[in-house]
Amino acid sequence: MLATAGVLALGMVAGGYLLGDGLRRSREADRAVTVRGLAEREVTADLATWTIAYSATAEDMGSAQASVDHDSQEIRAFFAGLGFPAEALQPTGVNVSTSTDNGITRFTVRQRMALRTTDIKRAQDAVKRQFDLVRRGVMLEEGSGMAYTFTGLDKIKPEMVAAATKDARRSAEQFAQDSGTGVGGIKNATQGYFEVTARDGDGGGGWGVSDTPFKKVRVVTTIDFYLR
C-alpha cells in the first residue's frame, strides 16, 4: 500500500509539473507583438489621358454644329503639330441642349475628345502649350485637365511587400530589445492596400490644371510576430 501511494504521489507531482510546464509554454507561444511596416517608392506615370471638353452655342443647330466641327479640326491640328498620331485622339461623346431667352431659342452643342498616350514627355509639352488651343478659338470647358496614371503596380508589388515586411520586423526587433525578449516567426500578417498619390501632395485637376506624372506608391502591412 505504501509503495502504491508513493507511485501515485510521484505521478501527481510529475503530472502537475508537466501541466504547469505546458501552461507556461502555451503562454509563451501566445506572446506576440503587433507592428506595422511601411514601404514607399517614387515612380513616374506611364499613361497620360486628356479629356478635352468644348462647346458652341448658336440660334440654329447647324451653326452650333459647324462651330464645334471647326474646333474639332483645330484640336486635331494642334495635337498633330506636336507629333501625336491621329489615333491618339478620339471623340468620346456629344451632347445637344436648348435654352430659351426672351423668346429666342439657342442650341448648345458640347463635344468631348480624349487624348490617350504613353509618351509622357510629349503629353507634358502639350499641357504647357494648351493656351494655343484658346488662341485657335477653342472654348475649353471645365474638366479639361490632363491626368497621369501609373499602370505598373503589379510589377513592383512583391518588392514593396517584402520591404514593408522587413520594416515591420525592424520595429518588432526594437520592441523585443527594449523588453528583453526575442522575435520569432510571423503569427499573422495583413497586407494593406496600395495607394498611389501625387509625389508632392497636389494631384491637380479642374479646368486647365494638370495632374503630375510624378507619383508616390505607398503600402502598409500589419504583422503579428511571436516573441520568445
Side-chain angles (χ1 to χ4, degrees):
M1 291 181 64
L2 291 176
T4 301
V7 170
L8 289 175
L10 182 60
M12 293 178 63
V13 170
Y17 170 79
L18 292 174
L19 178 61
D21 185 63
L23 291 174
R24 178 182 62 82
R25 291 177 179 272
S26 177
R27 286 195 297 269
E28 288 180 351
D30 286 338
R31 290 195 305 170
V33 59
T34 301
V35 293
R36 290 185 177 182
L38 169 67
E40 292 182 330
R41 179 177 295 191
E42 292 184 3
V43 298
T44 301
D46 51 14
L47 175 65
T49 53
W50 188 1
T51 299
I52 301 172
Y54 51 103
S55 65
T57 301
E59 293 182 7
D60 63 278
M61 178 70 175
S63 297
Q65 184 63 59
S67 181
V68 166
D69 290 343
H70 175 268
D71 289 349
S72 297
Q73 293 176 1
E74 292 296 333
I75 292 172
R76 291 187 181 279
F78 168 75
F79 285 107
L82 293 174
F84 288 99
E87 60 271 18
L89 193 66
Q90 297 293 331
T92 59
V94 64
N95 174 265
V96 178
S97 61
T98 60
S99 62
T100 303
D101 184 17
N102 294 325
I104 299 175
T105 300
R106 296 180 180 274
F107 296 84
T108 299
V109 178
R110 288 185 171 84
Q111 177 85 33
R112 284 186 175 83
M113 298 189 74
L115 173 76
R116 182 183 176 89
T117 179
T118 57
D119 192 337
I120 302 302
K121 177 63 169 60
R122 200 179 299 276
Q124 289 179 281
D125 292 340
V127 170
K128 293 176 183 177
R129 298 179 57 180
Q130 64 179 307
F131 197 73
D132 288 349
L133 285 173
V134 179
R135 293 191 181 97
R136 290 172 178 261
V138 180
M139 300 294 291
L140 296 176
E141 294 189 338
E142 185 176 359
S144 297
M146 181 78 78
Y148 295 97
T149 306
F150 176 67
T151 65
L153 190 59
D154 287 342
K155 295 181 180 179
I156 65 173
K157 273 184 176 181
E159 294 180 359
M160 292 195 65
V161 170
T165 302
K166 289 180 180 179
D167 184 59
R169 180 170 284 276
R170 283 193 293 268
S171 298
E173 288 173 346
Q174 182 62 55
F175 176 87
Q177 180 180 344
D178 295 340
S179 59
T181 58
V183 178
I186 294 176
K187 181 180 180 182
N188 293 301
T190 303
Q191 176 191 306
Y193 67 92
F194 279 80
E195 183 181 22
V196 182
T197 59
R199 182 189 65 184
D200 301 318
D202 184 6
W207 185 91
V209 180
S210 172
D211 187 11
T212 173
F214 306 110
K215 306 293 185 179
K216 179 185 291 186
V217 182
R218 185 175 188 268
V219 64
V220 177
T221 60
T222 303
I223 302 179
D224 297 337
F225 287 99
Y226 285 110
L227 294 177
R228 57 191 181 193

